[in-house]
Structure formats: C-alpha cells, structure tokens
Amino acid sequence: MFATRRAARDRGPPALVTTIDAAASARHNAAAFPRYSGVNPDCCRPMPPMIKLYKRATGTELSRLATLGGPLVASNLAVVSMGVTDTIVAGRAGGVDLAGLALGASIWSVCAVALMGLLAALSPIVAHLRGARDETGCAQQLQQATWIALVGGLAVVAALLATPWWSQWIDTEEPVRRVLQQYLLALATGTLPFAIGTALRGYCEGMGQVRPVMRIYLAAAALNIPLDILLVFGAGPIPAMGGAGCGWATALVSTSIAAALFWHAGHDPAYRALQLKLLPPRPHWPTQRHLLAVGLPICVGAGSEVTFFASLTILLAPYGATIVAAHQIGLNVGSIFYLVALALAQALSIRVAQLLGQGRPRRARFTSLVGVGSGIAYAAVTGVVLITLRHPFVLAYTGNADIIAVATNLLLLCAAFQLVDVAQAMTWGALRGYRDTRVPMIMQLFSYWLVGLICARWLGEQYWGVYGYWVGICLGLGTAAVLLGLRLWRTSGRALAFTPARRRGFAN
C-alpha cells in the first residue's frame, strides 16, 4: 500500500495523468507544479521551456539571414563603388566631364532600376521552387526570364540610341550635352549584357548561391578602376575619352559580369538541372506572365520611391544651392546605411520563399517577424551612429559652414527616417517572398505620393522649410511601413489558413 502511494506521489496529481496526454502533462506541470517543470514523468525526458525554443529558432533564422545577407551586402556595395569610382575619375578629367557623367548616370539609373524591377520576381520564385526541390522548374524560370531580359534590354537600347534626339530637350551647356550623349551611347553597348547578368544573378541568389555572385561583383568592382583610368585619360593607342570613357568601362564590366555568371551557372554542380545555351528555349507565355505579374509591381514600387526622392530635390531647388547641397548630403549618408537594409530585405525575401516552397508557412511567418525585427534593431543602431557622428559625416563631404549647419540637423531627422525606411523595406522584402506585390505597390504609391509628398510640401512651405520636407518624408515612409506591416500579417495569416492542421506545429 505504501509502495502504491509512493508511486502515485511520484507520478504527480492523478487528475493530470488521467485527463491529458503525456506531452500536455509536461506542459501543465511546468506551469502549475514547479517541481515537475520541464520533465515528463511518463517518459522521463526533459522538455525545454518554450522561451528557449524561440531563442533557438530566432538564432537559427538570424544566422540564415546573415549567411544570405552578408554576401548580398558586399555585392550591393561593389555596385555602388563602381559609381563612386566613375565620379572620382570623371571629376579628375574636369568639370564638364563630371557634369555630363552626373546627368548621364541619373538617366541610366532609371533604366537600370526598370530592368532590375522587371526581373526582380525571379529570385523569390526560384527560391520557392528550390524549397520544393523543383530544380527543373527553377531552370525553366531562368530560361523564360531571359526572354524578358532580352526584350526589356532591347527597349532600353533603343531609348539610349535615341539620345542625340531627346537630349536636346535637356537645358544644359553644349559641351556637357555632348559628354552626356557619348556616355549613354557607350552604355547602350552594355545594356543587353547588363539585363542578362541581372537575370543570372537573380537565379543564382534564388538558388542560395550568394557567395559566388559576391566574388564576381567584387572582382568587377576592382576591374572597373583601371578601366576607368585607362579609358578616361587614354594610354598608348587608346585615346582619352573623358567622361564618356566611364560609359565604355561600365559596358565592359557589365559584359564581364554576364560572362562570369553564365560560366558559373553552366559549370557549378549546384545547378544540375540547368542546361544553359546561348539562345533560350521557345517562349512559354504562362511562365512569363507569372514572372511579369510579380515583377512589374516591384518595378513600379521601386520606381515610385526613386522618383519620390527625385521630386523632393526638384521642389527644394528654389531654396538655393546651400539647401539642395545639404539635402543631397543627408540623402547620400542615409543611402549608405540603407544599402545594408536593402540586402537584408533581399535575403529575407529568399528565405521566406524557400520556407514556403518547403510547405512551412508558420516558420515563414516567424522568419518574417524575425527579419523585420532585426531590420528595426539595425535601424536603431544606425540612428545612434548618425546622431553621434553627424558632424564627421558631413565634414567628409564639404567644409562650407552654412551647408554643415543644415546638413547636421538633417542627419538628426535621418535617424528617424532610417527607422521607418528600413521597416518598410524589410516588410516589402518579406511580401516579395510571399509573391504578394500588387497590393503593396498600391500602398507604396499611396504612401509616397499622397501622404509623403503632400505632407512634405505643406510642412515645408508653410512651416519648417527643408526640415518640413524631411518630416514629410518620414510620414510617408512611416505610412508605408504601417500599411505593409498590416499586409504582411494578413498575407502570412492567409498562408497559414491553407495549411493542413497536422503541419501547423511551430517546427513548420
């Protein structure tokens, strides 16, 4: 009898053992009876507290995002460094060459963003199919995206070849216009390789092969330096081309990137199902329609953000050179930190798409929350850095006391700007992983052009000048962050609703 009582006491309260199963008993005991916390008496197996499970899962996802995001950050910085090199070398050639390059680069950036936006759907779609282990489907996506790259690239080439005609509408000096024309005509020769390289990059990143892409882009950035110097200033039989030489250097580098990515995708064992040929197979309209249905809204959303900031610069032009210069410095400093967040958003898009392809929507939702939270934490840290080091940052650009006074104040607003901008970028990245792009595009257009621009114009003209414009920027980006966050929660919830009940555990 005493043995029976001792056994019953060791098992715990009889009601627990008789009314719930072993796993539920362990969880109930952990909350109601501390001495049984974390232990299932029936199987004598320790059960870790739930908070440790979340810590472990959070650490795993942060590690995956860092593994994907680190090389993407390096690749993005390599692309930016090419533009910086062009600017420095052209500046050494003279003011006319620098002005022509600046105008040409601004026009080329619109063309490049359009091409990248058209092909932006490739990476998350390939990642989704790779998660489902459909390598043949991944290869088919690249083959059909190549047609989109060719058609889009030819359209851009046609626009660039018409530069001598439409550049007459640009109000600038004739020597500057001549450099602009020569620069864009040189870029026309590298536009198709740029488009093909963009498609290949999206495929490789969607397959998770981000490190080879990083190495190729870092090598291209290094190659761009001697090519710029050689073609701008000339050497031996090669004549000095001035600012137009930077266009030829960019075209050669774009061709080299496309060739290297083509070779890598054709020889690396990671792409077993891919059989690359110089000409893609016949067009398959359903596949292309899906790529465009996801990619076009991304293109419009990215373009709306670029033009939103460009329009603010134009609106500030009547305030004078000092205000415009301070505004540009603030945007440039902020964009450097934003590049890291942009790469993290790309990584989040790839990771979420992989999880959805594996049929793990609950984990995809958790990863989205972790990604957005890590982005906000990064923005908070960069905000502290901007506030603390705002004077050294501005001094690196100019020694003009008037510009310094305005720009240092703008960097205070840039800290708040970063917080909401990074939040909306990370949320948008997660939504791309869900292939939900059309409604987010509408939200972005509403936030940037109706909320942001109107608030910036009203606050700037009626109250605080350039500071009012920047407050309007924060309000517009903040609206986008809130709307996209709500959309992400709804989209991820709908993905969960279509998941069978047996797969709704946290591990999924």
Side-chain angles (χ1 to χ4, degrees):
M1 181 175 66
F2 291 106
T4 303
R5 290 179 178 175
R6 187 180 299 111
R9 185 173 62 250
D10 291 341
R11 284 196 302 269
L16 289 177
V17 178
T18 58
T19 58
I20 52 180
D21 60 13
S25 176
R27 291 194 296 270
H28 185 88
N29 288 341
F33 302 94
R35 66 177 181 275
Y36 294 106
S37 179
V39 179
N40 185 336
D42 293 317
C43 62
C44 298
R45 183 174 60 191
M47 298 276 293
M50 187 60 71
I51 186 64
K52 289 188 178 180
L53 181 64
Y54 277 89
K55 283 184 178 179
R56 185 162 60 250
T58 301
T60 299
E61 293 307 323
L62 286 175
S63 176
R64 297 284 177 85
L65 291 175
T67 301
L68 287 170
L72 290 173
V73 171
S75 299
N76 288 350
L77 291 176
V79 173
V80 172
S81 71
M82 296 183 204
V84 173
T85 302
D86 290 351
T87 302
I88 293 173
V89 175
R92 296 288 183 180
V96 171
D97 291 287
L98 180 58
L101 172 72
L103 286 173
S106 63
I107 295 170
W108 168 246
S109 66
V110 175
C111 300
V113 167
L115 288 174
M116 290 188 291
L118 282 175
L119 299 164
L122 182 60
S123 179
I125 291 176
V126 168
H128 187 278
L129 293 171
R130 180 175 179 267
R133 301 184 181 277
D134 184 3
E135 295 189 10
T136 303
C138 295
Q140 183 185 18
Q141 296 296 323
L142 172 62
Q143 292 162 354
Q144 296 304 313
T146 303
W147 284 108
I148 297 175
L150 288 172
V151 174
L154 288 173
V156 173
V157 168
L160 295 179
L161 291 178
T163 300
W165 174 71
W166 55 257
S167 64
Q168 301 299 323
W169 295 88
I170 300 176
D171 185 14
T172 186
E173 301 171 355
E174 189 58 35
V176 174
R177 182 182 292 107
R178 190 159 47 248
V179 173
L180 161 69
Q181 293 173 353
Q182 294 171 353
Y183 174 80
L184 292 179
L185 289 173
L187 281 174
T189 63
T191 298
L192 281 179
F194 174 83
I196 299 297
T198 301
L200 287 166
R201 177 183 176 178
Y203 171 76
C204 295
E205 290 176 349
M207 293 291 289
Q209 302 298 309
V210 291
R211 290 187 179 276
V213 174
M214 175 193 69
R215 297 188 190 103
I216 290 172
Y217 274 84
L218 289 175
L223 175 64
N224 186 63
I225 298 174
L227 283 178
D228 267 350
I229 297 173
L230 175 65
L231 297 174
V232 170
F233 299 106
I238 299 176
M241 303 179 189
C246 294
W248 288 107
T250 301
L252 290 173
V253 168
S254 298
T255 304
S256 301
I257 290 173
L261 287 172
F262 188 89
W263 184 90
H264 165 68
H267 292 80
D268 196 292
Y271 317 108
R272 292 184 297 271
L274 183 63
Q275 297 179 354
L276 278 179
K277 298 179 181 179
L278 291 178
L279 288 177
R282 294 179 60 183
H284 185 251
W285 173 238
T287 302
Q288 294 178 0
R289 182 174 56 192
H290 180 56
L291 285 166
L292 290 173
V294 178
L296 277 175
I298 297 175
C299 178
V300 174
S304 67
E305 186 172 7
V306 171
T307 52
F308 169 62
F309 283 102
S311 65
L312 291 176
T313 303
I314 295 173
L315 291 174
L316 286 171
Y319 284 77
T322 298
I323 296 299
V324 173
H327 170 75
Q328 192 62 34
I329 289 172
L331 290 181
N332 284 345
V333 173
S335 65
I336 294 172
F337 291 100
Y338 181 71
L339 280 174
V340 178
L342 190 61
L344 292 176
Q346 292 174 277
L348 181 59
S349 174
I350 293 170
R351 177 60 180 161
V352 168
Q354 288 176 348
L355 291 170
L356 291 172
Q358 294 168 7
R360 304 169 68 189
R362 181 172 290 274
R363 187 62 173 234
R365 187 184 219 189
F366 177 78
T367 300
S368 299
L369 296 177
V370 170
V372 174
S374 63
I376 293 174
Y378 164 77
V381 172
T382 58
V384 173
V385 173
L386 284 169
I387 293 171
T388 306
L389 301 178
R390 62 186 186 278
H391 287 92
F393 283 146
V394 176
L395 287 172
Y397 284 85
T398 183
N400 186 297
D402 293 333
I403 297 176
I404 291 172
V406 178
T408 51
N409 290 331
L410 289 179
L411 288 186
L412 293 174
L413 290 170
C414 189
F417 168 118
Q418 285 285 314
L419 195 64
V420 291
D421 198 16
V422 171
Q424 66 99 19
M426 296 298 294
T427 309
W428 189 31
L431 285 167
R432 291 200 303 270
Y434 281 95
R435 292 179 291 179
D436 181 11
T437 57
R438 186 165 53 184
V439 173
M441 173 197 71
I442 297 171
M443 291 177 172
Q444 288 173 310
L445 291 172
F446 169 78
S447 301
Y448 301 150
W449 289 97
L450 290 181
V451 177
L453 190 62
I454 291 175
C455 289
R457 179 77 171 177
W458 179 62
L459 293 173
E461 297 299 327
Q462 299 295 327
Y463 295 98
W464 305 316
V466 65
Y467 305 116
Y469 277 91
W470 274 62
V471 172
I473 293 175
C474 295
L475 291 174
L477 294 175
T479 302
V482 172
L483 293 178
L484 292 175
L486 293 173
R487 180 66 182 182
L488 175 60
W489 188 257
R490 182 176 185 272
T491 299
S492 60
R494 292 178 63 186
L496 280 174
F498 290 104
T499 306
R502 62 184 178 83
R503 304 187 66 176
R504 288 185 184 174
F506 181 80
N508 288 328

